[in-house]
Amino acid sequence: MTKFSDLNLDKKVLKAIDDAGYTEPTPIQEGAIPPALEGKDVLGIAQTGTGKTASFTLPMITLLARGRARARMPRSLVLCPTRELAAQVAENFDAYTKYSKLTKALLIGGVSFKEQDQLIDRGVDVLIATPGRLLDHFERGKLLLTGVQIMVVDEADRMLDMGFIPDIERIFGLTPFTRQTLFFSATMAPEIERITNTFLSAPAKIEVARAATTSENITQSVVEFKASRRDREGTEKRKLLRAMIEREGDGLKNAIIFCNRKTDVDICAKSLKKYGFDAAPIHGDLDQSKRMETLNGFRDGSLKFLCASDVAARGLDIPNVSHVINFDVPGHAEDYVHRIGRTGRAGKLGTALMICVPRDEKNLTAIESLVELEIPRAENPLPAPADRKAKEARSDDAADKPAPKRGRRTKSEDKPEPQEVAQEKPVQKDADRENTNSRGRGRGRGRRNEDTGPKVQGMGDHMPEFIALSFEDRLSAEAEG
Ligand code: AMP
């Protein structure tokens, strides 16, 4: 069995690994560290949870132990698709450079330029960045990439999803031709293949078993659900979500709830909160400090429900998640695997629940064929439509109301989704403004404000065009619906 001490890593790195409590390298580490230390390019096909971060940070620290950083010319560069992943990589560097004297800077949106500029001015050994923010610094003339000896691209397939590939190509072009490249991706889409063929030179290819086979410790189920009326789908789906959560009882310690769209992440979190559930959203439009605060709260157990988008949650190392709930069936089957892989980690038991509306059935079939499993159908915990109708007639939709102490409701709550969402706002600080808006006919700008909730800060590091499109399309569809 290979030991870390067999891998030619720097002694100080070995000591830090020991402190981290790792006893043996994971397969990706065993495969990637030796060629990386020999200065070869590496193509790692691995996803998060396999120990891939250490598979590039450990050899980098060893290789960078010699030499010194020059002003504005980082010696190495790690590109990550999201701020959280970049921050996570930075944390890894901190842990493994405990006994080494290497400097690093983190260039991510939401953190002030000034502080980062100062660090870069002095010279850093390792620069960890999201592509957009890196190019911003470069364009402001604050940074030269001609001193980069090692460049890492982490989660390349996610970069592709987020539309970062042109940025990555540009950044490759700004670094020296002689650099060493360590490139990681969970999958090899044709576009990723093209990039690796263009920018990697005779790489050592290491592929570790995909966690794509959904772990045996995860109990999966799906509730098939059809709304009573299309325009009530959002409301009824959220009601179903609450019933599903309640059905889990004490077995549910905490949960990540995935929605396909950022607007739904917000709506879902707000709705849950309104009904007394301890929930908060995380997605790319929230400012960095808020995202970190939410994530830390979820990690330390002070937040029970994390409503998330794929991009925000992908790759995050959050141990001890008892439940993953797919509020929407993901559009890409692989995202299902990534999502539910947040639970059942390290041999623990986990539960993955999902809601499937009729138009998502195709996606459900695609997931089932990817994971080679028929996901068991769970019963809808809510009364059947006929019973429900009778009940609703009796109680005037009382079942959809939260506990009275959580704010007054008005007649308009029974209206289609956008109105319901607007009504869910009174729990927000700026409720007054939004209530005023909700009196309008709901077209154009006023309605847009209602639907998107409190003003978001920034648009992530770089907002790919397709996100803007789906955002707008959906809002106008709702405004018209
Ligand atoms: P990653 O795939 O880089 O996100 O790593 C997933 C988790 O595995 C992180 O919590 C690491 O701290 C942990 N880890 C990395 N390498 C090892 C190792 N050799 N032994 C045990 N845990 C590890």
Side-chain angles (χ1 to χ4, degrees):
M1 190 195 299
T2 311
K3 292 190 290 255
F4 276 111
S5 53
D6 300 331
L7 295 178
N8 278 332
L9 289 163
D10 186 272
K11 281 203 185 80
K12 290 174 182 160
V13 175
L14 288 176
K15 200 165 169 219
I17 294 172
D18 209 38
D19 287 358
Y22 304 163
T23 50
E24 58 192 69
T26 64
I28 186 77
Q29 292 163 0
E30 198 180 327
I33 292 173
L37 285 175
E38 284 169 26
K40 290 188 182 147
D41 282 359
V42 169
L43 172 57
I45 304 166
Q47 59 187 48
T48 214
T50 55
K52 75 174 162 57
T53 317
S55 79
F56 62 81
T57 46
L58 302 179
M60 278 175 82
I61 298 166
T62 301
L63 290 168
L64 294 169
R66 281 198 205 111
R68 279 193 54 206
R70 290 164 59 192
R72 289 196 287 154
M73 289 176 73
R75 297 164 69 206
S76 67
L77 175 63
V78 181
L79 292 173
C80 302
T82 65
R83 301 162 180 189
E84 282 77 12
L85 275 170
Q88 208 165 280
V89 170
E91 274 171 27
N92 272 259
F93 265 103
D94 287 342
Y96 308 138
T97 52
K98 218 168 142 178
Y99 303 107
S100 319
K101 280 198 186 80
L102 289 183
T103 51
K104 68 154 207 321
L106 182 61
L107 283 192
I108 52 177
V111 176
S112 99
F113 272 100
K114 203 173 147 212
E115 221 172 275
Q116 302 177 5
D117 277 349
Q118 281 169 354
L119 282 171
I120 293 168
D121 273 351
R122 261 183 263 145
V124 288
D125 298 300
V126 185
L127 183 59
I128 304 160
T130 47
R133 191 64 163 206
L134 180 85
L135 287 172
D136 284 349
H137 274 261
F138 179 81
E139 272 152 21
R140 290 166 64 241
K142 297 286 180 187
L143 183 65
L144 284 169
L145 296 175
T146 44
V148 171
Q149 297 156 22
I150 309 170
M151 173 162 158
V152 178
V153 178
D154 194 14
E155 304 251 346
D157 49 346
R158 183 60 25 170
M159 303 263 197
L160 174 67
D161 289 351
M162 294 174 76
F164 284 156
I165 294 299
D167 286 351
I168 300 291
E169 290 190 75
R170 185 162 166 226
I171 295 166
F172 265 124
L174 298 170
T175 60
F177 183 65
T178 50
R179 65 162 197 270
Q180 178 184 8
T181 309
L182 312 176
F183 192 100
F184 292 83
S185 186
T187 54
M188 286 301 284
E191 184 68 354
I192 302 286
E193 186 110 37
R194 182 185 68 76
I195 300 284
T196 57
N197 290 339
T198 314
F199 296 105
L200 271 66
S201 155
K205 190 171 168 185
I206 299 102
E207 185 162 4
V208 299
R210 278 162 44 102
T213 42
T214 48
S215 153
E216 279 173 13
N217 349 324
I218 306 175
T219 309
Q220 303 172 57
S221 65
V222 56
V223 172
E224 288 175 312
F225 158 76
K226 187 170 190 298
S228 62
R229 266 180 14 210
R230 206 190 150 119
D231 60 3
R232 286 194 59 87
E233 186 178 288
T235 318
E236 292 181 0
K237 223 173 148 185
R238 288 191 290 278
K239 185 173 168 184
L240 170 59
L241 171 69
R242 296 192 294 275
M244 285 166 68
I245 291 172
E246 269 155 10
R247 180 162 69 179
E248 292 303 299
D250 292 343
L252 190 152
K253 306 286 179 227
N254 60 355
I256 305 182
I257 300 167
F258 283 99
C259 302
N260 289 356
R261 298 182 195 86
K262 286 187 267 188
T263 40
D264 286 335
V265 170
D266 271 334
I267 292 169
C268 208
K270 243 181 255 173
S271 167
L272 283 171
K273 235 169 134 177
K274 180 186 168 190
Y275 283 88
F277 296 88
D278 177 25
I282 183 165
H283 58 70
D285 288 350
L286 296 168
D287 78 35
Q288 177 64 9
S289 58
K290 185 77 210 150
R291 283 157 70 170
M292 282 314 206
E293 185 193 315
T294 303
L295 206 54
N296 289 337
F298 191 69
R299 277 199 181 114
D300 70 23
S302 54
L303 175 73
K304 191 166 174 179
F305 295 97
L306 181 70
C307 298
S309 64
D310 288 295
V311 167
R314 175 82 172 266
L316 295 180
D317 183 30
I318 306 171
N320 297 328
V321 178
S322 79
H323 282 62
V324 164
I325 306 178
N326 286 294
F327 181 75
D328 298 308
V329 176
H332 299 288
E334 280 175 0
D335 282 338
Y336 178 77
V337 179
H338 293 302
R339 287 180 181 188
I340 77 163
R342 312 284 97 212
T343 185
R345 280 164 99 91
K348 294 202 175 74
L349 295 178
T351 304
L353 311 176
M354 182 153 66
I355 302 175
C356 178
V357 295
R359 72 173 170 285
D360 286 341
E361 261 157 28
K362 251 198 215 145
N363 292 335
L364 176 60
T365 310
I367 290 168
E368 292 185 319
S369 73
L370 177 75
V371 300
E372 293 173 356
L373 172 89
E374 193 187 329
I375 302 173
R377 272 41 178 182
E379 225 179 274
N380 185 331
L382 294 172
D387 304 346
R388 198 158 64 216
K389 249 190 186 157
K391 191 175 165 201
E392 281 174 3
R394 278 200 306 277
S395 68
D396 192 25
D397 209 8
D400 197 27
K401 285 184 185 168
K405 66 179 163 72
R406 292 187 198 102
R408 243 164 17 117
R409 295 198 125 201
T410 64
K411 247 188 149 190
S412 60
E413 277 175 16
D414 294 333
K415 286 182 184 167
E417 179 175 6
Q419 282 82 355
E420 186 234 22
V421 171
Q423 285 299 321
E424 286 180 351
K425 297 253 164 69
V427 290
Q428 300 296 317
K429 277 188 202 132
D430 43 357
D432 289 344
R433 177 178 59 81
E434 285 169 349
N435 279 342
T436 313
N437 283 345
S438 70
R439 279 186 214 116
R441 271 293 294 125
R443 302 228 173 239
R445 284 197 157 271
R447 166 55 58 91
R448 188 159 299 177
N449 288 341
E450 283 172 38
D451 289 352
T452 52
K455 197 172 179 305
V456 291
Q457 297 183 28
M459 292 302 286
D461 290 329
H462 245 217
M463 195 184 65
E465 237 171 60
F466 73 90
I467 290 182
L469 286 177
S470 59
F471 195 70
E472 295 291 324
D473 287 346
R474 179 161 186 279
L475 292 173
S476 37
E478 278 183 0
E480 279 153 24

